[in-house]
Amino acid sequence: MKILAGSTNQAFARNLANRLQIPMISREIVTFADGETRVRIGDSVQDEQVIFVQSLAGLVNDYLIETLLLIDALKDHGVKEVIGVFPYLAYARQNKAHRPGEGVSAQTVAKLLEQVGVSKLITYDIHALNALSYFSIPTINTSVLPVLMQKLIVHVGDEQRNSLVVVAPDQDGTKRAKDAADKLGLPHAFVEKERDLETVDTLKEIHGQKVVGEVAGKIAILADDIISTGNTLVQAGRHLKETGVEKVYAAVTHGLFSKGFDNLVKQKDIEKIYISDSVYHPNLPPQIEVVSTIDTAASILQQNVG
Ligand code: R5P
């Protein structure tokens, strides 16, 4: 078994290779002046099982093409099987047509990855489970929120455990937050949020948010799958403080930071934000801490890949 890393999260791939004690495959990835990508596999992969690691974040469309080119090159060079480890899998938020005529892009991505030759897919905290229903290959979706929350509990101190409450920043994330809370034996609540499906703006900022569940006087852990612009967290953090929460922390699996960190760094309501290593960021402000999930990925692979 060998590991091939795409461009986006080479640190994750290297850490996984070290943890599993398997070699990395050398490869070249070049972008031509016209924007085309050229790839080359540098080692023999004949009859090998290859774990391909890529997080589809940042220049997501470029990295999607790079992914397809690398996997196709592996197939051309006689690979036995490609196991796709996509700690962050893009397009899962486009998992259904919200309005007539809209494309179901999660389905398109599933078709592409499957057609090119991924035979098993592993990911973390997929935005919507039905995004995986478009695959006919086996898929494994694991929540790493409990791993992030364990780290947070160490930070606040075990004696504060009885004051903790896990809060989903919108009603759609309630199940994800509840599952993580249940795993750690913590209570849960959620903030109501609505999005305008045309502008994707949060409507509740205009109409006022509401917390469902007991939070006053507690230490809240906002639990979510994605930080994109950061607006959801900022608004929920502000609202929780206004509702009488003593302290607010956040545990979010994927730090996309689509518009940088500005609004998260400027806000004062959330003390600290724990994110996973699913998306690589070389420089983060001190309020944002990355938690390694390599043990989780390694154990999924050890249990599911023979
Ligand atoms: C939305 O339903 C997701 O679970 C996240 O809450 C959302 O993607 C976060 O986006 P932003 O950081 O732009 O508010």
Side-chain angles (χ1 to χ4, degrees):
M1 189 182 291
K2 291 180 176 173
I3 291 200
L4 177 66
S7 301
T8 58
N9 201 340
Q10 296 175 63
F12 192 100
R14 257 193 319 272
N15 292 337
L16 193 56
N18 286 340
R19 177 72 172 63
L20 294 172
Q21 298 276 287
I22 55 176
M24 300 272 289
I25 297 167
S26 73
R27 85 306 188 253
E28 289 166 24
I29 302 170
V30 176
T31 306
F32 286 115
D34 62 359
E36 284 185 6
T37 304
R38 182 186 64 181
V39 302
R40 178 175 166 266
I41 307 296
D43 295 325
S44 167
V45 291
Q46 186 71 41
D47 298 325
E48 287 281 356
Q49 243 180 342
V50 171
I51 298 168
F52 173 72
V53 179
Q54 181 88 294
S55 268
L56 294 174
L59 297 171
V60 43
N61 297 328
D62 284 356
Y63 294 135
L64 181 57
I65 290 290
E66 178 193 290
T67 295
L68 300 174
L69 298 178
L70 281 167
I71 296 173
D72 206 31
L74 285 173
K75 294 301 264 189
D76 282 348
H77 291 86
V79 76
K80 182 172 148 207
E81 189 187 9
V82 180
I83 298 124
V85 175
F86 294 88
Y88 174 67
L89 184 65
Y91 282 101
R93 282 176 289 182
Q94 298 187 47
N95 62 92
K96 58 184 172 203
H98 294 280
R99 293 174 298 158
E102 247 176 35
V104 181
S105 305
Q107 175 179 252
T108 314
V109 169
K111 279 184 195 161
L112 289 169
L113 293 178
E114 205 163 318
Q115 274 295 315
V116 81
V118 176
S119 64
K120 186 172 274 174
L121 181 135
I122 294 165
T123 191
Y124 291 159
D125 287 298
I126 190 92
H127 177 71
L129 273 180
N130 89 315
L132 294 180
S133 69
Y134 301 117
F135 288 94
S136 53
I137 54 169
T139 58
I140 298 168
N141 170 52
T142 296
S143 178
V144 293
L145 284 175
V147 179
L148 309 190
M149 289 182 192
Q150 290 282 17
K151 188 87 181 195
L152 197 157
I153 291 169
V154 172
H155 174 80
V156 297
D158 214 29
E159 62 286 358
Q160 303 268 38
R161 204 186 170 100
N162 288 339
S163 306
L164 294 171
V165 56
V166 176
V167 184
D170 60 37
Q171 52 277 46
D172 292 343
T174 307
K175 183 173 176 346
R176 185 183 304 112
K178 179 184 179 312
D179 287 351
D182 287 350
K183 250 196 171 144
L184 299 174
L186 299 174
H188 62 93
F190 69 93
V191 180
E192 276 190 343
K193 177 187 91 173
E194 282 171 22
R195 276 196 192 276
D196 180 321
L197 291 176
E198 273 181 39
T199 64
V200 202
D201 283 340
T202 301
L203 289 174
K204 283 283 171 179
E205 198 173 21
I206 307 158
H207 301 303
Q209 296 184 313
K210 197 174 121 199
V211 180
V212 179
E214 292 292 312
V215 295
K218 300 230 177 199
I219 300 175
I221 307 172
L222 280 167
D224 209 355
D225 57 334
I226 294 169
I227 300 173
S228 178
T229 62
N231 288 339
T232 300
L233 273 194
V234 170
Q235 287 177 27
R238 188 190 313 139
H239 189 64
L240 286 174
K241 285 308 277 283
E242 286 166 4
T243 313
V245 167
E246 192 192 319
K247 276 187 179 171
V248 184
Y249 291 90
V252 183
T253 305
H254 310 294
L256 303 186
F257 306 120
S258 312
K259 289 188 183 162
F261 315 116
D262 285 9
N263 44 3
L264 283 175
V265 173
K266 274 191 252 143
Q267 64 81 36
K268 296 277 176 258
D269 298 311
I270 306 171
E271 313 262 329
K272 205 166 172 156
I273 299 164
Y274 292 82
I275 60 169
S276 82
D277 50 359
S278 68
V279 178
Y280 179 69
H281 293 285
N283 295 307
L284 289 173
Q287 298 94 318
I288 302 173
E289 184 169 331
V290 179
V291 180
S292 168
T293 60
I294 291 302
D295 285 350
T296 305
S299 119
I300 296 170
L301 285 162
Q302 280 160 342
Q303 285 167 36
N304 294 283
V305 177

